[in-house]
Amino acid sequence: MFLLKRTFWKKFFIKSAWGLLACFVLFLLLDLIFPFRFQIHYSQVILDEENRVLGAFLSQDEKWRMKTELNEINEDLQKAFIAKEDRYFFYHFGINPLSVVRAFLNNLLSQKRTSGASTITMQVARMLEPKPRTYLNKLIEMFRAMQLEWHYSKQEILQMYLNLVPYGGNIEGVKSASVLFFQKLPQNLSIAEITTLAIVPNRPNSLALGKDNALIRQERNKWLKNFEQQSVFDSKEIANALQEPLEVKRTEIPRFAPHWCIRLSRKYPKDENIRSSLLLPTQNKVQTLAENYAKKLKMFQIENLAVLVVENRTRKIRAYVGSQNFAESQVDGVVAIRSPGSTLKPLVYALAMDLGKLTPKTTLLDIPTDWNGYSPDNFDNKFRGKVSVETALSLSLNIPAVATLHEISVDYFVKKLKQAGFKTLSKQEKKVGLSMILGGFGTNLEELTNLYVTFANSGLYASLNFLAKDSTTRTDTLISATSAYSFTQVLTLAQRPDLPRSYQNAKNKPFVAWKTGTSYGKRDAWSIGYNQNYTIGVWIGNFSGKGVPELSGSEIATPLLFEIFNALDNQASALPTAPSNIHFRLVCSESGLPPNSFCENQVIDYYIPLISPSQVCQHQKELYVSADEKLQYLPDCLPEKGYKKKLFPNLSSELQAYYEAEKIPYLKIPPLHPQCEQFLQNSESMKPQIVSPVANKTYFMPSEPTELMLKAYTRNDVKKVYWYINDKLYQEALAQENVFFKPKIGKNTITCVDDKGRSQKISIQVERE
């Protein structure tokens, strides 16, 4: 008998095993034939670095369905939903056989549906593939649940459930409900709030949050007591939760930094939760300041502004104001293409320093100059003669900047700008010229701000970081640390025309390096500054391009820049520190070069060993003059007596011509003694230098020929010059007089002869447009 029973059970287990194996093989076959394909469309959520919601966008199917990430499902959230919906979730294979049998018997005895047997996995299958409630569809639902269990982990299935549960209307998922009703993320919910969200999905219409709060609170408390009996939470936690009021209502999705949210949504279209680098408290401060400041601008008919705040150490964007009011303008001023005005001048000087062309104390000419027909003016239509680079930058003079760009070449400058991330330049690089240093091309606030972040980081360029997880792993040397620091010091000078009048004697002026810019036609006002912590860029103007007479970088943009610095840095922040290998030297204040014996005034200057100019100053030269200082002698024609040595300014012919034209007094070199003239009659330095028109240049004329100017630089002992056009005398003129003529089509030969008989001849080509 015992052997018969043993044989029976053995056969039973073998047949059962084969049956189970057959069922499993059948399942695998059906899984292969009828795969469970689904795609969940989530709302895109933009967060700040501390996981505060900045904004969100509807899913493709117009739902607020925010994805709850696995790390957002904390222990309390998991325990509450599993205790409420499926206590044996972690133990079944998608179907709970005991629950199925119990539900079947209950429904059979009552002749109606009185209880269900849906597990969390089965509910997920039903929400992913909605079907009418029939017994056949219930079998399909079970099969789909088993497929889910086969292909996904329990945590992933629970995550799908929490992302799909309904909360009425177009709200789905715990995260959406948490944000819209409790204004917080799921991991920050209390036990009472979690329980509230756990009970609503079964009755989203009759338990409508915001409408049926009293009823929901009763149901919540009933389930809280149930959880206490099940020992889901301890008694103290339950007691506190029972006392918690429920006064919720549906709120709008947060709308912080809307331009930023839209930009990140487009930049990372496949990411559901975008944890950005922005910091909401910083954003709110800057946004409020921008909104209040914009109200003051209305009286000047200035409608728009944009602000970008970057943390220098991490290169993370901490505040982003595309416009002061998104409702009024959806244009993103941070990336809008605008003329940069004078904001690139620090870069051109820093590059020239790295190339050994100059140092901060080097002197440059600020005089009327023509570069192949391009003759810019300064902002105040004044010229200052000879100025140091330091002065030229602090006064934002145009002529020295253009001259420096001409010296290092436009092509080199474009190359460095592209290296600095100026992507907007790629479509313009073939069209730009010397005018680009004064704003003659298009860029945007983001590119300019990052350029100054590069100055703040010792000349090392890297892209800005948009996400919390981003870090700067690779940098590219744009300019040397020495030149970056040198011109940072220049940009901190307080005695400058672009210091706002309201801050002239103010104690709350922030200690920052800053540069302003105003575009042609008063269409754009810029002010970009930095200290050790932040770089802040401000643009103000009209998106329509309308110019405003009052618009300027100094008086309109800089006050907002200073307000933002004062709001973000409660304590005075230092400037970027000096590099360890920075070098100083004494130079002559007249030239910025190492001093000569006659250099009486010497100043300290930054320089780069083996690169910076090393020639000794020659701002003066020693000449032989007669005893009465009225005539000059050459060493080859000195008399036996009646002469002496004297120092004279060693001025270029261009500077001399400027002094003469402006009637600026200077110590003039006496005319050469007649007996000495024969020694220099044919010297190139003695000949007139024709500067207009430009030699060997092709000029294009309209149908009605226009006049060209004739101008030459001569020595100061020359009183008259004689102009010849195509070898025929055209006009006698004073040495500094501007003469005009109408050229013929084709080749034109121009000759200038001074009253000493010295001459220069050039040729130009004239063609029809």
Side-chain angles (χ1 to χ4, degrees):
M1 190 69 178
F2 175 75
L3 289 175
L4 286 173
K5 288 183 178 181
R6 185 175 178 182
T7 302
F8 169 78
W9 286 112
K10 183 177 180 181
K11 289 180 179 181
F12 175 77
F13 283 122
I14 291 174
K15 288 181 180 180
S16 298
W18 279 107
L20 290 173
L21 181 60
C23 290
F24 180 66
V25 171
L26 178 61
F27 168 74
L28 292 180
L29 184 61
L30 291 174
D31 181 56
L32 189 63
I33 298 172
F34 304 104
F36 195 4
R37 294 192 178 96
F38 60 87
Q39 185 176 5
I40 304 175
H41 296 290
Y42 289 107
S43 302
Q44 211 172 24
V45 183
I46 316 298
L47 307 159
D48 84 338
E49 191 169 72
E50 301 298 329
N51 280 317
R52 290 170 286 232
V53 178
L54 299 174
F57 302 92
L58 287 167
S59 64
Q60 291 182 21
D61 52 352
E62 300 296 311
K63 300 281 189 181
W64 286 119
R65 188 187 296 117
M66 303 178 192
K67 185 177 182 180
T68 305
E69 301 289 357
L70 288 172
N71 59 5
E72 294 177 304
I73 305 174
N74 60 28
E75 186 179 357
D76 289 342
L77 191 68
Q78 178 175 295
K79 287 194 300 185
F81 273 86
I82 289 176
K84 168 70 173 59
E85 291 297 326
D86 188 358
R87 283 186 290 174
Y88 302 103
F89 173 69
F90 286 107
Y91 306 101
H92 60 64
F93 52 90
I95 304 168
N96 187 338
L98 295 177
S99 296
V100 171
V101 172
R102 186 195 71 239
F104 177 76
L105 292 175
N106 288 340
N107 295 340
L108 185 64
L109 292 173
S110 62
Q111 296 297 309
K112 62 180 182 178
R113 186 177 182 274
T114 60
S115 63
S118 293
T119 62
I120 283 178
T121 314
M122 290 170 66
Q123 291 183 62
V124 171
R126 184 169 62 247
M127 289 186 286
L128 289 174
E129 198 175 68
K131 294 179 183 295
R133 295 203 173 191
T134 65
Y135 286 109
L136 175 62
N137 288 337
K138 178 61 72 173
L139 292 173
I140 295 174
E141 181 183 303
M142 292 179 178
F143 171 67
R144 292 303 193 194
M146 293 171 63
Q147 285 181 295
L148 288 173
E149 294 280 347
W150 179 249
H151 291 285
Y152 297 92
S153 69
K154 287 289 186 180
Q155 287 296 334
E156 289 172 329
I157 294 170
L158 179 61
Q159 180 188 21
M160 282 189 268
Y161 174 77
L162 294 176
N163 287 328
L164 293 170
V165 287
Y167 286 94
N170 66 340
I171 304 174
E172 291 185 6
V174 168
K175 189 170 188 173
S176 301
S178 178
V179 170
L180 286 166
F181 292 109
F182 296 104
Q183 295 80 56
K184 60 180 74 173
L185 293 177
Q187 63 267 37
N188 300 322
L189 293 170
S190 68
I191 290 175
E193 292 165 341
I194 289 172
T195 305
T196 300
L197 294 183
I199 64 174
V200 170
N202 292 133
R203 299 164 57 189
N205 295 324
S206 60
L207 295 178
L209 283 165
K211 294 181 180 179
D212 306 308
N213 287 348
L215 179 59
I216 294 173
R217 188 167 187 263
Q218 290 178 14
E219 289 294 312
R220 181 201 72 183
N221 289 350
K222 183 177 75 174
W223 273 99
L224 282 170
K225 293 173 182 177
N226 194 328
F227 289 162
E228 183 178 19
Q229 292 174 3
Q230 296 180 43
S231 300
V232 177
F233 303 109
D234 63 41
S235 299
K236 185 177 181 181
E237 290 176 316
I238 295 294
N240 292 333
L242 288 169
Q243 298 302 314
E244 194 170 310
L246 182 65
E247 299 173 352
V248 299
K249 64 178 180 179
R250 177 170 176 171
T251 59
E252 293 296 321
I253 289 290
R255 287 286 183 266
F256 301 111
H259 293 93
W260 171 255
C261 292
I262 291 172
R263 186 168 178 193
L264 289 189
S265 176
R266 293 171 178 170
K267 188 177 177 70
Y268 306 102
K270 296 181 179 179
D271 291 3
E272 294 90 1
N273 293 305
I274 303 174
R275 185 164 163 247
S276 73
S277 62
L278 221 65
L279 289 174
L280 185 56
T282 303
Q283 174 70 22
N284 285 341
K285 281 183 183 179
V286 176
Q287 184 73 47
T288 300
L289 288 171
E291 288 175 0
N292 293 337
Y293 193 78
K295 295 174 184 176
K296 304 175 188 176
L297 300 176
K298 295 286 186 181
M299 69 178 72
F300 302 115
Q301 295 186 324
I302 301 171
E303 302 293 335
N304 306 110
L305 61 79
V307 182
L308 187 67
V309 178
V310 180
E311 186 179 71
N312 293 328
R313 182 180 57 84
T314 61
R315 279 189 160 89
K316 289 182 176 180
I317 296 173
R318 296 307 195 186
Y320 189 108
V321 179
S323 70
Q324 73 278 8
N325 190 323
F326 185 78
E328 292 179 3
S329 177
Q330 287 76 54
V331 177
D332 187 348
V334 173
V335 294
I337 305 300
R338 313 294 302 191
S339 165
S342 298
T343 54
L344 294 174
K345 288 176 180 175
L347 178 62
V348 77
Y349 291 127
L351 292 173
M353 183 173 181
D354 288 340
L355 293 173
K357 305 290 186 182
L358 52 77
T359 61
K361 300 296 184 183
T362 299
T363 54
L364 303 173
L365 296 184
D366 180 34
I367 60 176
T369 310
D370 183 282
W371 288 276
N372 293 339
Y374 179 55
S375 304
D377 288 324
N378 285 320
F379 67 96
D380 57 1
N381 297 315
K382 296 178 182 178
F383 300 95
R384 291 158 180 78
K386 187 170 69 171
V387 296
S388 69
V389 172
E390 182 179 82
T391 300
L393 180 55
S394 63
L395 297 180
S396 197
L397 301 179
N398 291 340
I399 310 304
V402 175
T404 303
L405 177 57
H406 183 263
E407 180 72 13
I408 68 172
S409 84
V410 170
D411 288 343
Y412 181 73
F413 192 59
V414 168
K415 174 186 173 184
K416 298 301 283 188
L417 283 175
K418 290 170 72 176
Q419 182 185 343
F422 279 65
K423 296 178 181 178
T424 54
L425 188 58
S426 59
K427 296 180 181 179
Q428 311 169 63
E429 59 180 303
K430 294 181 180 179
K431 301 177 184 178
V432 296
L434 293 174
S435 64
M436 69 184 304
I437 195 61
L438 306 182
F441 79 107
T443 182
N444 61 42
L445 181 61
E446 181 180 315
E447 292 175 345
L448 286 173
T449 303
N450 197 19
L451 174 62
Y452 284 83
V453 174
T454 300
F455 272 86
N457 281 289
S458 301
L460 297 176
Y461 166 78
S463 299
L464 296 179
N465 291 322
F466 286 71
L467 303 181
K469 65 181 180 181
D470 289 347
S471 61
T472 300
T473 56
R474 181 180 175 275
T475 57
D476 189 11
T477 301
L478 181 68
I479 54 177
S480 69
T482 296
S483 63
Y485 182 77
S486 300
F487 289 103
T488 293
Q489 297 305 301
V490 176
L491 294 176
T492 62
L493 297 176
Q495 301 305 315
R496 7 187 310 202
D498 59 351
L499 179 65
R501 287 188 293 270
S502 58
Y503 280 88
Q504 293 287 346
N505 299 305
K507 293 182 179 179
N508 63 334
K509 174 190 166 297
F511 186 44
V512 297
W514 87 98
K515 181 72 183 77
T516 63
T518 307
S519 68
Y520 178 77
K522 304 273 188 173
R523 294 181 176 90
D524 307 276
W526 304 86
S527 192
I528 308 173
Y530 58 95
N531 58 18
Q532 199 170 46
N533 294 335
Y534 296 104
T535 296
I536 301 173
V538 173
W539 170 86
I540 295 177
N542 291 308
F543 290 144
S544 65
K546 177 185 175 182
V548 178
E550 294 81 6
L551 195 67
S552 72
S554 57
E555 293 300 327
I556 296 297
T558 302
L560 178 57
L561 176 79
F562 286 178
E563 284 184 26
I564 295 171
F565 267 113
N566 286 334
L568 297 186
D569 273 4
N570 294 325
Q571 298 178 345
S573 177
L575 289 171
T577 57
S580 58
N581 60 343
I582 196 164
H583 292 81
F584 310 85
R585 67 181 180 185
L586 283 173
V587 296
C588 178
S589 62
E590 295 292 330
S591 64
L593 293 171
N596 210 324
S597 57
F598 48 71
C599 292
E600 297 179 356
N601 298 317
Q602 299 179 23
V603 292
I604 296 175
D605 192 17
Y606 300 108
Y607 79 107
I608 304 174
L610 304 178
I611 293 178
S612 295
S614 58
Q615 62 267 35
V616 176
C617 173
Q618 298 293 332
H619 85 275
Q620 288 187 324
K621 57 184 176 181
E622 191 175 61
L623 300 176
Y624 295 101
V625 294
S626 59
D628 59 3
E629 300 182 3
K630 292 183 178 180
L631 292 172
Q632 175 192 353
Y633 292 105
L634 298 176
D636 293 335
C637 59
L638 284 174
E640 292 184 1
K641 58 181 180 179
Y643 68 90
K644 62 181 181 181
K645 293 180 180 180
K646 184 172 181 178
L647 290 171
F648 288 88
N650 190 10
L651 305 178
S652 66
S653 58
E654 297 92 338
L655 190 57
Q656 286 184 52
Y658 170 73
Y659 285 163
E660 293 289 341
E662 297 296 321
K663 296 180 173 53
I664 298 173
Y666 67 99
L667 183 59
K668 299 180 181 180
I669 298 174
L672 202 59
H673 194 283
Q675 295 178 359
C676 297
E677 286 188 3
Q678 58 180 330
F679 292 94
L680 287 178
Q681 188 64 32
N682 297 317
S683 171
E684 288 294 326
S685 64
M686 303 292 286
K687 294 179 180 180
Q689 303 293 317
I690 298 175
V691 295
S692 179
V694 179
N696 303 316
K697 182 181 177 182
T698 299
Y699 289 83
F700 294 91
M701 293 290 175
S703 56
E704 289 293 329
T706 57
E707 292 185 329
L708 292 179
M709 184 175 70
L710 298 173
K711 187 175 181 64
Y713 291 144
T714 62
R715 290 181 60 83
N716 58 19
D717 59 347
V718 174
K719 305 300 181 185
K720 290 184 178 182
V721 295
Y722 304 87
W723 290 99
Y724 290 80
I725 306 298
N726 297 319
D727 297 325
K728 291 183 179 180
L729 179 63
Y730 177 72
Q731 186 174 328
E732 174 187 334
L734 296 175
Q736 303 304 322
E737 183 180 351
N738 293 333
V739 178
F740 295 87
F741 82 108
K742 288 185 178 181
K744 67 174 186 177
I745 300 300
K747 183 179 180 181
N748 291 256
T749 301
I750 301 164
T751 307
C752 180
V753 182
D754 67 16
D755 55 13
K756 307 298 181 183
R758 299 170 296 227
S759 66
Q760 185 189 29
K761 179 185 286 189
I762 67 167
S763 295
I764 63 170
Q765 187 73 21
V766 177
E767 297 179 3
R768 295 284 187 195
E769 286 185 337

